[in-house]
Amino acid sequence: MTATAGAAAPGYRPRRTLPLRVEARRQLRRRRTLVVGTILTLLPFVLVVAFAIGGDPDGRGNGRISLMDTATASGGNFAATTLFVSAGFLLVIPVALFCGDTVAAEASWSSLRYLLAAPVPRSRLLLSKLTVALLFSAAAMLLLPLVALAVGTAAYGWGPLQLPTGGALPAGETVVRLAVVVGYVFVSQLVTAALAFWLSTVTDAPLGAVGGAVGLTIVGNVLDQVTALGDWRDVLPTHWQYAWADALQPRMEWSGMIQGASVSVAYALVLGALAFRGFARKDVVS
């Protein structure tokens, strides 16, 4: 009998350890989950109040119209504008929080070693936590536009999506286009998720993992503004973060979103592999 077979208890199934529902329930009860959900729910109401106080946005005086200028045209326009003002930074925070806090928090509570002694295989532990973190991140990205669409429709009515380039999309197609936008935003944030998750496996400080992911995302945004880098900016995930604007054209363009998704997924796979490889060899003492 091999050592592995001898060590396994009767009826032990590695795949049944740390079920996703158990991990999801634990994460759902965390205070930070409630805080994130509250902030994302309140943001559309704050924007409606801001437009009510400041008046309807209007950029037609300079001959140029942006997505912000059409924010109050319909509920669909309001939802698109809400995504526009939040995709660059606000939505980065819940992704970094859910993925960066998940493993490091267990280490900071000194409970990580007890999970592994359950025994939960290390790969199973990471897979369960990463899956739940991504599900919560996706839920956060769905929550914001859904609330914005409901609030915007109540405030400005349900109608065609007025495009900054001119023309409009039927209300039914607006929902499809917004779904494409949300899907792309989620894929583009995979690199942030993977970076935060990798940092979470190498540090016992949750704030370090979350802050590191957010900080490096900010650095990427800064570097993308350096036009002297030329084509080197194409390898920056942040360079493609607004490629979803191509979905809000009379004829949807996919090339930019495909390139941006490819860059993000490539980085995410590398960082994810580093997380699993490093954690498999890590001496867990906390």
Side-chain angles (χ1 to χ4, degrees), residues 95-97 99-101 191-201 209-210 213 271:
V95 174
L97 188 61
C99 296
D101 180 69
V191 59
T192 300
L195 175 60
F197 190 71
W198 172 58
L199 292 175
S200 185
T201 63
V210 176
L271 291 169

Side-chain angles (χ1 to χ4, degrees), residues 17 33 57 79 133 158 160 169 181 184 189 218 225 231 272 283:
T17 57
T33 304
W158 177 253
L169 295 175
V181 171
Y184 177 77
Q189 293 296 339
I218 295 175
Q225 301 303 314
D231 293 339
D283 184 15

Side-chain angles (χ1 to χ4, degrees), residues 125-153:
L125 174 73
L126 291 189
L127 185 60
S128 294
K129 287 189 169 294
L130 179 59
T131 301
V132 171
L134 290 177
L135 288 175
F136 274 66
S137 299
M141 293 188 184
L142 281 173
L143 176 64
L144 179 62
L146 286 176
V147 174
L149 188 61
V151 172
T153 300

Side-chain angles (χ1 to χ4, degrees), residues 31-274:
R31 182 176 300 177
R32 52 112 160 114
T33 304
L34 178 61
V35 171
V36 168
T38 301
I39 292 175
L40 294 179
T41 300
L42 291 179
L43 177 61
F45 292 95
V46 173
L47 291 178
V48 167
V49 172
F51 287 137
I53 294 175
D56 292 342
D58 187 3
R60 293 174 177 79
N62 56 15
R64 301 175 62 183
I65 301 176
S66 67
L67 189 60
M68 181 67 73
D69 299 322
T70 64
T72 59
S74 68
N77 279 96
F78 182 75
T81 302
T82 303
L83 284 171
F84 174 74
V85 300
S86 59
F89 181 72
L90 180 61
L91 289 179
V92 174
I93 296 177
V95 174
L97 188 61
F98 288 135
C99 296
D101 180 69
T102 180
V103 178
E106 298 284 359
S108 67
W109 298 333
S110 298
S111 59
L112 184 57
R113 56 182 174 180
Y114 296 108
L115 280 175
L116 296 176
V120 180
R122 295 194 178 199
S123 59
R124 174 66 182 179
L125 174 73
L126 291 189
L127 185 60
S128 294
K129 287 189 169 294
L130 179 59
T131 301
V132 171
L134 290 177
L135 288 175
F136 274 66
S137 299
M141 293 188 184
L142 281 173
L143 176 64
L144 179 62
L146 286 176
V147 174
L149 188 61
V151 172
T153 300
Y156 310 117
W158 177 253
L161 178 68
Q162 302 297 326
L163 302 176
T165 56
L169 295 175
E173 189 173 354
T174 296
V175 176
V176 177
R177 296 294 184 94
L178 289 176
V180 172
V181 171
V182 173
Y184 177 77
V185 171
F186 175 72
V187 173
S188 67
Q189 293 296 339
L190 287 178
V191 59
T192 300
L195 175 60
F197 190 71
W198 172 58
L199 292 175
S200 185
T201 63
V202 299
T203 180
D204 294 347
L207 288 180
V210 176
V214 173
L216 288 175
T217 300
I218 295 175
V219 170
N221 280 311
V222 172
L223 291 177
D224 187 50
Q225 301 303 314
V226 182
T227 56
L229 291 175
D231 293 339
W232 284 103
R233 294 186 299 167
D234 292 347
V235 302
L236 296 173
T238 52
H239 182 68
W240 305 98
Q241 63 181 342
Y242 290 109
W244 56 263
D246 293 340
L248 302 181
Q249 305 292 335
R251 182 177 181 181
M252 189 157 49
E253 297 290 339
W254 292 96
S255 58
M257 289 188 285
I258 291 175
Q259 293 182 67
S262 300
V263 171
S264 181
V265 171
Y267 276 104
L269 289 175
V270 172
L271 291 169
L274 288 175

